[in-house]
Amino acid sequence: MRPGGRTRWSRCLLDLDAPIAEYWPAFAAEGKGGITVATALAHSAGIPAFPRPVTFDDQVAREPVLEMLAGLRPLWTPGTRHGYHAITLGFLLTELLRRTTGSTEGRLARELLARPLGLDLHIGLDPADVPRVAGVVPPEDGEDRFDPSIGEYCAAVKDPASLFHRATFGSSAMSFADMNDSRYHTVERPAAGYATAASVARLFAALGGSVGGVRLLGPELRDRARTAHSSGTDEVFRFGTAFGLGYMLPGGRLWPGSGPEYGGSRAFGHIGSTGALAFADPEHELAFAYLPNRMKHVYEFPDRRATALVDAAYTAATSA
């Protein structure tokens, strides 16, 4: 086994350098046989868009989504370029988890994350918890927020033929109204967890170090995960982004924060569609989570609210 190739979770026996097809043979179709787990985690597999929007019924049944994933042909030679796999990656990774552990993502989140760390975090809510969910508020109109510095991206937002549109709106049938539909809350869906900000910050603290004796990533795997495996112009966003293994990294346009201390940080985390952001920065002993329910405007990168909070957090961390 290659060094650092296996996770420390005994149930998740994934070799990061192994082809995905070793775990899911049907995935090898259409020239995908050489795509490794690490290549997918770095958003460089070349399969960022589904041929049609994934519906609620597709998500419940799962098989239609898996058939679409297996039938995708890479849009570029895997590993040579990267582009945000906004919808496809979640389904791909949860299928890998199901195949290697025999368990669902919701159960794994409960047993491996929520219970050991005491988190109010769920993938697929119990119906009794649905009333606790804060409703998603659509973004305000903001044509005036068109930013010439990311003009290519802004134009892609309006172009149904663009890869950005195909990888986001064209790959999911979910509407703003659906985001507040309780049917969606109770189904285990990739990239659709429910949690408090305090719980997400605690989760990232345990990814960056140890919390109450619980450490989710060993130092070697943690550092591999936060090393840039893809960076530069993103084929989907059409501006600069940087990804480790499953995590976004500072340095790209997506990541909020502008302070001088923050610029050289080795933080790792992720943004969300509402303007959410969560990350760990072990060197600054900082874990951060911001989970707004009012969505940021689609033209706005980075989110100005998150940027102000991140700058304040680093000011506090470095002056303590």
Side-chain angles (χ1 to χ4, degrees):
M1 182 56 57
R2 290 170 282 273
R6 288 191 182 274
T7 70
R8 289 178 179 264
W9 292 341
S10 60
R11 296 186 185 183
C12 302
L13 301 177
L14 280 171
D15 182 346
L16 298 180
D17 297 310
I20 292 170
E22 284 192 12
Y23 306 101
W24 182 11
F27 183 78
E30 301 295 336
K32 301 191 299 298
I35 296 175
T36 66
V37 177
T39 300
L41 285 168
H43 293 265
S44 57
I47 50 172
F50 282 120
R52 65 168 177 81
V54 173
T55 67
F56 176 78
D57 289 339
D58 290 333
Q59 294 184 55
V60 172
R62 287 276 174 156
E63 197 57 38
V65 183
L66 301 183
E67 289 177 358
M68 283 196 288
L69 269 174
L72 292 177
R73 178 183 291 275
L75 300 181
W76 59 80
T77 302
T80 62
R81 290 183 276 172
H82 78 285
Y84 186 41
H85 289 46
I87 309 297
T88 57
L89 184 60
F91 287 105
L92 176 56
L93 295 181
T94 52
E95 181 61 13
L96 283 173
L97 288 176
R98 290 180 179 219
R99 286 174 176 269
T100 53
T101 69
S103 189
T104 68
E105 56 271 31
R107 182 180 176 186
L108 290 170
R110 286 192 303 274
E111 294 184 354
L112 299 177
L113 303 177
R115 288 176 184 168
L117 288 164
L119 306 180
D120 188 0
L121 180 148
H122 318 265
I123 298 179
L125 281 172
D126 185 291
D129 284 323
V130 170
R132 300 172 57 211
V133 177
V136 174
V137 181
E140 299 174 351
D141 290 336
E143 290 296 320
D144 58 326
R145 297 187 188 182
F146 186 99
D147 185 345
S149 72
I150 51 172
E152 194 174 350
Y153 158 76
C154 292
V157 170
K158 293 185 174 183
D159 181 5
S162 72
L163 185 53
F164 172 81
H165 206 283
R166 289 160 50 205
T168 53
F169 308 118
S171 288
S172 174
M174 181 179 241
S175 66
F176 286 130
D178 291 333
M179 292 181 181
N180 294 318
D181 186 330
S182 60
R183 294 183 308 156
Y184 283 84
H185 300 333
T186 56
V187 172
E188 293 183 21
R189 297 182 295 115
Y194 298 87
T196 63
S199 288
V200 175
R202 185 173 174 85
L203 170 65
F204 271 88
L207 289 166
S210 177
V211 174
V214 177
R215 181 187 292 271
L216 296 178
L217 297 176
E220 183 181 2
L221 183 56
R222 180 198 67 189
D223 289 344
R224 185 178 180 189
R226 63 178 178 155
T227 296
H229 292 264
S230 55
S231 61
T233 300
D234 188 294
E235 296 294 325
V236 172
F237 281 109
R238 301 309 306 162
F239 54 66
T241 62
F243 293 95
L245 295 182
Y247 299 101
M248 288 182 179
L249 305 177
R253 182 66 183 247
L254 295 174
W255 195 282
S258 57
E261 301 88 358
Y262 188 58
S265 120
R266 292 201 63 207
F268 61 106
H270 220 282
I271 64 166
S273 61
T274 63
L277 172 70
F279 66 85
D281 185 336
E283 285 69 33
H284 286 90
E285 298 184 321
L286 177 64
F288 176 99
Y290 171 56
L291 308 181
N293 63 318
R294 178 177 288 279
M295 298 190 74
K296 73 171 191 62
H297 194 273
V298 70
Y299 287 160
E300 188 178 346
F301 281 112
D303 181 69
R304 67 188 71 182
R305 302 166 300 173
T307 295
L309 290 171
V310 167
D311 287 345
Y314 272 95
T315 297
T318 55
S319 62

